[in-house]
Amino acid sequence: MAAPRTATESRGRRTGGRPAAAAGGAASGTAGRRQRERSDATVEDLLTAARALFAADGYAATSLDAVCDRAGVTKGALYHHFSGKQQLFSAVYAREQDHLNERITAAYRAVADDPWEAVYEGSRAYLEASLDPGVQRITLLDAPGALGWELMHELGVNCRELTLRGVARAIRRGAIAPRAAEPLASMLYGGLSESAMSVVRSADPRAALAETLAGLRQMFDALAAKG
């Protein structure tokens, strides 16, 4: 004769063979996951809308009301994720830096067997990205005033780190003469940032880019190890 079921076992049968606490925990976990997914989707909608408006109208002219209208969310939802316009802009700026990193890395890896040429190709990719109007507006024209140089440097540290790693690898592989990597990487990264700004502010950005790349080519050739 079978032993009588306990109350816990009986409840387990009604919840698919699991104890009630386990079933409740699974339901709670599913609800939590769905909430995170909704939250992530809201953030994505806000960043996409903000990027489009910051790129088209600029930081000063973009209102949070316009961002919310474009994203299809309430202002309360925006403030749940961002403290205000500056924090929203900083998130957009950080995402732009990530996209630049991806572009630079792809250009570098395409010729990675030649470590110094790879640094040149990554540098060229960075400068060419400055022709994109959205990149111009967000990362070069508006970011200094909206974020300040200190926060810009903090958010853009990955691009500088890519430059430093590339320069250090070129030195280790003998592609350029032995030297301290840090100073050269700083000069190269700073020069590229200033060159990108110069290209953007020129009357003919494409012509300015061509001239800048020609000068960059000469500099890289001069530093390359001979023989």
Side-chain angles (χ1 to χ4, degrees):
M1 180 176 177
R5 297 188 189 95
T6 65
T8 299
E9 289 171 332
S10 297
R11 287 195 299 270
R13 286 181 63 85
R14 290 196 298 272
T15 56
R18 294 173 295 173
S28 177
T30 299
R33 184 172 62 254
R34 288 174 179 168
Q35 177 59 36
R36 287 193 298 274
E37 290 172 353
R38 287 194 295 270
S39 179
D40 290 345
T42 298
V43 170
E44 181 63 31
D45 289 342
L46 285 167
L47 290 177
T48 299
R51 201 278 181 187
L53 291 170
F54 287 141
D57 303 330
Y59 177 77
T62 297
S63 69
L64 292 182
D65 287 333
V67 172
C68 291
D69 286 345
R70 188 179 183 99
V73 304
T74 66
K75 209 165 184 179
L78 184 149
Y79 279 119
H80 179 73
H81 297 286
F82 301 99
S83 62
K85 187 163 75 166
Q86 186 189 47
Q87 190 181 46
L88 178 61
F89 183 84
S90 71
V92 171
Y93 177 83
R95 178 174 283 197
E96 291 297 303
Q97 293 298 300
D98 288 342
H99 292 163
L100 278 173
N101 289 344
E102 292 169 2
R103 187 166 178 168
I104 292 166
T105 299
Y108 181 96
R109 287 178 175 171
V111 291
D113 288 345
D114 185 338
W116 190 230
E117 184 65 16
V119 176
Y120 170 80
E121 287 299 321
S123 302
R124 180 182 59 78
Y126 172 81
L127 290 171
E128 288 181 345
S130 68
L131 290 182
D132 181 285
V135 173
Q136 290 177 15
R137 171 74 76 170
I138 294 168
T139 68
L140 298 173
L141 298 178
D142 284 354
L147 302 177
W149 287 107
E150 184 174 343
L151 183 53
M152 277 185 65
H153 179 76
E154 179 183 333
L155 294 172
V157 71
N158 287 339
C159 283
R160 188 188 182 285
E161 183 63 25
L162 288 177
T163 304
L164 177 58
R165 292 207 306 264
V167 169
R169 179 171 178 262
I171 294 169
R172 288 196 307 271
R173 296 280 294 272
I176 58 176
R179 68 191 70 223
E182 184 79 32
L184 179 57
S186 293
M187 287 187 286
L188 181 56
Y189 178 73
L192 288 171
S193 299
E194 185 62 30
S195 294
M197 185 68 75
S198 179
V199 167
V200 169
R201 295 186 181 280
S202 67
D204 187 343
R206 291 194 175 276
L209 175 63
E211 291 176 353
T212 299
L213 289 176
L216 187 69
R217 178 78 272 173
Q218 290 177 335
M219 184 189 77
F220 269 75
D221 289 347
L223 289 172
K226 302 300 187 288

